[in-house]
Amino acid sequence: MLQTVLDADPVGDATSFRDTHLTAYRFMLLARMLDDKCAGLYRAGKIHGGVFIGRGQEALSVSIGLSLKKGDVFAPLIRDTAGRLAFGEPVVDALRTYLGSVLGPMRGRDGNVHRGRPKEGYLPMVSHLGAMVSVVNGTLFARRMKGVTGMVGATCIGDGATSTGAVHEAINQAAVEKLPLVLIVADNQYAYSTPTSRQFACRDLADRAAGYGVESHSVDGTDLSACLKVVGDAVARARAGRGPQMVVATLLRLCGHGEHDDASYIDPKLKASPVGRDCLKVAEEHLLRQKWADATALAALRGEIVREIEEAVAQVQREPTPDPFTEDWRAISTGHLNEGQEK
Amino acid sequence: MSITYLEAIREAQAHALRDDPRVFIYGQDVGAFGGAFKATKNLAKEFPGRVIDAPISEDAMIGLAVGAAIEGMRPIIEMQFADFSTVGFNQIVNQAATLFWRTNVPCPITVRLPFGGTSGSGPFHSQSLETIYAHYPGLVVMTPATVEDAYSMLLEAVAIDDPVIFCEHKFLYYHLKAEKLPSEALPVGKARIAREGRDMTIVAYSAMVHEALEAAAELVPEGWEIEVVDLRSVKPLDTDTVMASVARTGRLLCVGEAWPWGGVTAEVIARVTSEGFGLLDVPPQRLNAKDTPVPYHPNLWTAHRPTARAVAAAARKLLRL
């Protein structure tokens, strides 16, 4: 599944710089359009449960996805459609999970953003914020015990999760064990409806890293070039053995918490400020300005992506959904240790 | 030569570390210090790099174990006291317990909980938490009552592919002794008849098995023959063995050290009454700790938990019904 992971050096020569931007832009656009498609299916009543999209966070998310290699570990959060795709998740995995296809990785047992393929280093999030960080630590810890070197593990949280005990414990744990962890903090100004003024009182979340003995990096999350550079550097430093890295990106969530949420609480002043820029538009303008792409090429790309998504939706909608009568209803892998099973 | 319950736990871990390179131990003070109860004494020296001190971070300890299990390792996590596992509760019940169901990838972690009351330990070093873990799907909950079971069940806990909450009773650590370690054992999921009898069945587990056995001995001069069933694991719960015993005796008393609301004793009675109502000659009874935090002072503590005397009293009452 990791066929799309690029072994790209985002700070390399001019050609690879341009190619990385084009690749990143493609994943960002694919993520935006896939998210929008899921939002549309939700509004049409085709999706059970919620839909959670990453509008406004694609530049940051794609940067982590592209900075990772095959063999790395990635535990994305709810706004990481772009990062998931860039890490190698096929479009159908998202759709199969949202639409409950039994052919998807979660087989209708879990839905929406709770998807992954643990055996491929792609960890499925639980809803409890901050809980994935120590799990990533565990994968890195185990690999080190097995003598595997040169890998990194990355995970994403928001400003809200930084308030949890789980995140504190896990950063400290990674620091004590000097694990190659990259913690991406998307400071998107709101945790559901709670503004950062009610979430933390420190000047900058990046300042917290020093207290853990961890290196930190700040970045404008609306600027793809900056995200590629800063996240890429952080991943490289972790890979080189400099211990855990924390990246704090400043941006604005350009949607509700989920598609059920109209986000009416978002301060219009923030929307009008530089933090409220749409990273996809910024990236597109950059491509045009640099003449790395023209309007025709971008229109063609959009057409291609629409076809890809529509074909995938049509395919997944024909796939079987779970059958409660053939479901084995076993939460324990050791058959006879399930209650009510034949011995 | 004799071996204690605690030594059996240490020996089982040594055995697991020796036999399986995927096994490691992670917990507070488990390294050079050998653990708060010395359950990992000398293991760090014997198995360098595989018995590792953790920061005081129960949540992150379990999270790390889950990540390592995904990578194919078999971590043993020592909670210093079962009481502190509540800090790691989220990772146990939402991460470890759901992984297999959600992803088809098993989660072979063993969480050792030194649990239960000892004199003078008070509200935060005495809790019995088997009930809350058994309530969650996806977990196996073991409650060994004997030195032999402490050893063989811990080995099985590490060997099986699922998350195991291993409840080891601190009261049994030093008191309970056996001549030698067992070479074979009943499989997990099978209860054991700890004492045969015809007049009443007492179902118990962990330290309460010994209180029940003492009570049964106390009732012999009065002419009663009490059968004692040791559940061994509370999840899965071996209903068959319990029902077969009740079919023989017609009377049922369930004893647990956990709090009374819900729980293992309630579960046993619910199953017997719903599946074997006709087997009962009299209404089944249960005996638990009192519904307060576990008290510190021995005067209060001995009245708070079921003791042999309390079990015998409850049994006499039931036998007169």
Side-chain angles (χ1 to χ4, degrees), chain B residues 18-55:
Chain B
R18 205 154 37 233
D19 275 15
D20 190 341
R22 300 171 300 174
V23 174
F24 69 91
I25 301 175
Y26 187 56
Q28 292 147 25
D29 305 300
V30 297
F33 184 64
F37 296 99
K38 300 293 172 219
T40 57
K41 188 178 174 186
N42 294 330
L43 293 181
K45 200 155 76 181
E46 208 174 322
F47 303 96
R50 296 172 63 198
V51 184
I52 302 143
D53 284 330

Side-chain angles (χ1 to χ4, degrees), chain A residues 81-103:
Chain A
T81 313
R84 291 170 186 263
L85 292 165
F87 188 63
E89 182 188 67
V91 167
V92 286
D93 267 19
L95 292 169
R96 282 172 165 161
T97 310
Y98 268 117
L99 293 165
S101 162
V102 289
L103 305 181

Side-chain angles (χ1 to χ4, degrees), chain A residues 228-297:
Chain A
L228 285 168
K229 165 96 176 76
V230 171
V231 173
D233 282 353
V235 169
R237 289 165 93 89
R239 207 184 294 286
R242 295 182 62 103
Q245 306 288 316
M246 181 162 139
V247 176
V248 179
T250 306
L251 47 83
L252 181 66
R253 165 168 35 98
L254 302 179
C255 51
H257 167 60
E259 286 307 286
H260 55 277
D261 169 23
D262 68 4
S264 53
Y265 45 80
I266 291 183
D267 184 349
K269 284 199 220 78
L270 268 176
K271 288 189 201 169
S273 77
V275 84
R277 297 193 303 176
D278 180 351
C279 62
L280 187 68
K281 275 212 185 92
V282 174
E284 188 175 306
E285 283 159 13
H286 184 66
L287 293 182
L288 293 169
R289 208 166 45 245
Q290 296 292 324
K291 301 203 188 315
W292 291 341
D294 58 21
T296 319

Side-chain angles (χ1 to χ4, degrees), chain A residues 13-278:
Chain A
D13 59 42
T15 316
S16 79
F17 192 62
R18 185 198 65 189
D19 289 350
T20 304
H21 274 72
L22 284 167
T23 306
Y25 178 77
R26 190 188 186 283
F27 281 124
M28 289 170 69
L29 186 60
L30 177 59
R32 176 72 59 94
M33 293 171 74
L34 179 58
D35 275 352
D36 286 348
K37 183 69 194 177
C38 291
L41 289 167
Y42 171 81
R43 278 189 281 280
K46 303 286 188 192
I47 288 175
H48 302 283
V51 167
F52 303 88
I53 67 173
R55 179 178 284 262
Q57 302 194 189
E58 293 93 340
L60 175 66
S61 185
V62 79
S63 298
I64 189 65
L66 285 179
S67 301
L68 298 173
K69 297 183 191 176
K70 191 178 172 69
D72 288 338
V73 172
F74 185 38
L77 205 71
I78 59 175
R79 310 204 190 284
D80 284 309
T81 313
R84 291 170 186 263
L85 292 165
F87 188 63
E89 182 188 67
V91 167
V92 286
D93 267 19
L95 292 169
R96 282 172 165 161
T97 310
Y98 268 117
L99 293 165
S101 162
V102 289
L103 305 181
M106 312 312 282
R107 302 161 294 156
R109 292 181 172 188
D110 205 345
N112 52 64
V113 286
H114 303 100
R115 60 181 193 268
R117 295 177 179 266
K119 285 293 176 201
E120 297 171 46
Y122 174 40
L123 304 183
M125 57 173 281
V126 297
S127 299
H128 301 67
L129 293 175
M132 297 311 296
V133 187
S134 60
V135 178
V136 174
N137 288 348
T139 63
L140 300 170
F141 191 85
R143 288 182 186 201
R144 186 168 69 194
M145 286 188 115
K146 293 191 281 187
V148 180
T149 55
M151 79 296 173
V152 305
T155 188
C156 305
I157 60 173
D159 44 277
T162 65
S163 307
T164 64
V167 165
H168 163 72
E169 288 191 10
I171 299 177
N172 180 60
Q173 179 184 57
V176 168
E177 291 295 337
K178 298 182 180 56
L179 296 172
L181 171 77
V182 179
L183 180 66
I184 306 287
V185 183
D187 180 0
N188 68 8
Q189 314 306 315
Y190 291 87
Y192 205 147
S193 75
T194 304
T196 51
S197 61
R198 297 303 306 160
Q199 199 65 246
F200 55 84
C202 59
R203 188 186 59 85
D204 186 333
L205 288 173
D207 293 345
R208 290 192 182 172
Y212 295 104
V214 161
E215 295 182 341
S216 74
H217 317 267
S218 298
V219 66
D220 174 355
T222 68
D223 180 346
L224 173 63
S225 300
C227 287
L228 285 168
K229 165 96 176 76
V230 171
V231 173
D233 282 353
V235 169
R237 289 165 93 89
R239 207 184 294 286
R242 295 182 62 103
Q245 306 288 316
M246 181 162 139
V247 176
V248 179
T250 306
L251 47 83
L252 181 66
R253 165 168 35 98
L254 302 179
C255 51
H257 167 60
E259 286 307 286
H260 55 277
D261 169 23
D262 68 4
S264 53
Y265 45 80
I266 291 183
D267 184 349
K269 284 199 220 78
L270 268 176
K271 288 189 201 169
S273 77
V275 84
R277 297 193 303 176
D278 180 351

Side-chain angles (χ1 to χ4, degrees), chain A residues 110 125 146 333-334 339, chain B residues 60 70-71 102 162 237 271:
Chain A
D110 205 345
M125 57 173 281
K146 293 191 281 187
S333 79
T334 311
E339 289 260 306
Chain B
I70 288 170
E71 291 294 313
R102 296 166 71 228
D162 294 288
L237 200 160
R271 291 187 189 199

Side-chain angles (χ1 to χ4, degrees), chain B residues 9 24 39 62 85 133 135 152 167-168 170 188 244:
Chain B
I9 287 164
F24 69 91
I62 303 291
S85 73
Y133 292 110
H135 185 67
S152 62
C167 302
E168 48 191 62
K170 302 192 297 289
V188 167

Side-chain angles (χ1 to χ4, degrees), chain A residues 109 329-333 337-339, chain B residues 89-102 107 130-141 162-165 235-236:
Chain A
R109 292 181 172 188
W329 300 110
R330 290 180 173 195
I332 297 276
S333 79
L337 293 181
N338 283 280
E339 289 260 306
Chain B
F89 189 67
N90 179 38
Q91 298 283 13
I92 295 173
V93 304
N94 289 310
Q95 200 93 256
T98 66
L99 186 72
F100 171 71
W101 166 261
R102 296 166 71 228
C107 186
E130 64 281 2
T131 287
I132 53 171
Y133 292 110
H135 185 67
Y136 276 83
L139 300 173
V140 173
V141 184
D162 294 288
V164 175
I165 305 300
K235 195 167 189 184

